[in-house]
Amino acid sequence: MSHRRSPQRLDRPTGRRTPRKRVLIVCEGQVTEVEYFEGIRDHFRSLPVEIRACKVIGLGRDPGSLVAYAIRERDKKDKEARGQRDANLAYDEVWCVVDVDDHSTLD
């Protein structure tokens, strides 16, 4: 007596990979720091990192305004992710990079 095989499944397996983390890095400087982090991103290629330079308006280079900018960008992506019902659009981490030597308000 032969054993019967179950029919072969024709549906495709769904993705099982966990999504990569999305990181936003907001830099005080517009050239050196941005190039540094882009170099790191290019070196590791697999990191989903978006690098943005904080726009300097007047004396807007203080750490408080940099953090406020990062919060606005994070909230904007969170809203977009909720609107499109895609949690992968939101940032998992937000980093602010500040040169502490240039600010008298930082210890």
Side-chain angles (χ1 to χ4, degrees), residues 13-21 46 88:
T14 58
R16 290 185 175 87
R17 261 194 244 177
T18 56
R20 296 182 196 153
K21 282 190 174 184
S46 64
N88 295 323

Side-chain angles (χ1 to χ4, degrees), residues 35-53:
E35 288 177 355
Y36 175 76
F37 286 109
E38 285 176 344
I40 290 173
R41 181 196 59 204
D42 292 344
H43 178 73
F44 291 106
R45 293 231 185 248
S46 64
L47 296 176
V49 177
E50 180 178 338
I51 300 168
R52 303 185 81 167

Side-chain angles (χ1 to χ4, degrees), residues 24-38:
L24 169 65
I25 301 173
V26 181
C27 303
E28 172 190 29
Q30 292 183 307
V31 179
T32 308
E33 291 91 341
V34 174
E35 288 177 355
Y36 175 76
F37 286 109
E38 285 176 344

Side-chain angles (χ1 to χ4, degrees), residues 3 6 22 30 33 35 44 47 52 56 64 66 69 79:
H3 294 279
S6 58
R22 286 181 44 97
Q30 292 183 307
E33 291 91 341
E35 288 177 355
F44 291 106
L47 296 176
R52 303 185 81 167
V56 180
L66 193 76
Y69 177 82
K79 184 177 179 181

